[in-house]
Amino acid sequence: MSEPEVGDPLSPERFQAFIEQHGYLSWLNLTVEAVGDGYVEMRIPHDEKLVNPFPEGFERVHGGIAATLVDTASGFALRTTFDDPTDANLTTTDLDVSYLRPASDDLVATAEVVRAGGSMGVVDVTVESRKPSGERTEVAVGRASYRLFR
């Protein structure tokens, strides 16, 4: 993916500005890592406030954080299919998340549009984290459907 030009409607900075104005997403410290046509990569850094209250040494990120990332990355990926991504109007109609293994580090979601029609859109998302060994691994996969208001 090439570097975005100044004023590029698909620049990560334009999408990040939306997140900074959103209470919940900014509280999660969500960042937009990459944006392309039908594609978004986002990251939520590991933070103690996001882990389940398990015994010390067994802290795992709450599954709802991965689900939020699937939903948010899907919506942002679909925004790239609009003429003006920052002014897109859409809403989640279905969200499915399958958890593969616990996460104990940053979460990184890669979202790719499967279909963006006139009124409906579908996106597949993979959420990855790092194992204690440092290896990046899938921790969840998801699919979201959206109603698009074009």
Side-chain angles (χ1 to χ4, degrees):
M1 188 180 323
S2 61
E3 289 292 320
E5 298 173 12
V6 174
D8 182 350
L10 298 184
S11 74
E13 295 79 18
R14 291 186 88 175
F15 283 77
Q16 190 66 43
F18 175 83
I19 290 170
E20 299 307 321
Q21 297 175 19
H22 191 286
Y24 178 57
L25 298 179
S26 63
W27 179 81
L28 289 172
N29 294 319
L30 180 71
T31 57
V32 179
E33 303 284 308
V35 179
D37 188 25
Y39 174 87
V40 169
E41 183 177 306
M42 303 179 127
R43 174 183 304 272
I44 295 178
H46 180 269
D47 190 307
E48 293 300 317
K49 69 186 178 190
L50 306 179
V51 300
N52 284 313
F54 287 118
E56 193 171 325
F58 192 74
E59 295 177 344
R60 301 296 188 249
V61 177
H62 187 281
I65 303 305
T68 294
L69 198 49
V70 169
D71 188 28
T72 304
S74 295
F76 276 56
L78 281 165
R79 285 177 172 278
T80 70
T81 70
F82 282 74
D83 291 336
D84 181 357
T86 58
D87 194 36
N89 192 2
L90 46 89
T91 189
T92 309
T93 58
D94 187 53
L95 180 68
D96 180 62
V97 180
S98 296
Y99 300 97
L100 307 175
R101 61 185 51 87
S104 57
D105 198 41
D106 294 1
L107 296 178
V108 178
T110 303
E112 296 188 51
V113 172
V114 174
R115 183 177 190 280
S119 62
M120 289 298 296
V122 177
V123 181
D124 283 339
V125 182
T126 301
V127 180
E128 296 180 315
S129 188
R130 294 210 182 273
K131 294 180 180 180
S133 67
E135 176 187 359
R136 196 162 153 170
T137 187
E138 292 181 352
V139 295
V141 292
R143 176 171 273 194
S145 300
Y146 275 76
R147 171 70 167 94
L148 309 177
F149 300 93
R150 295 193 186 268

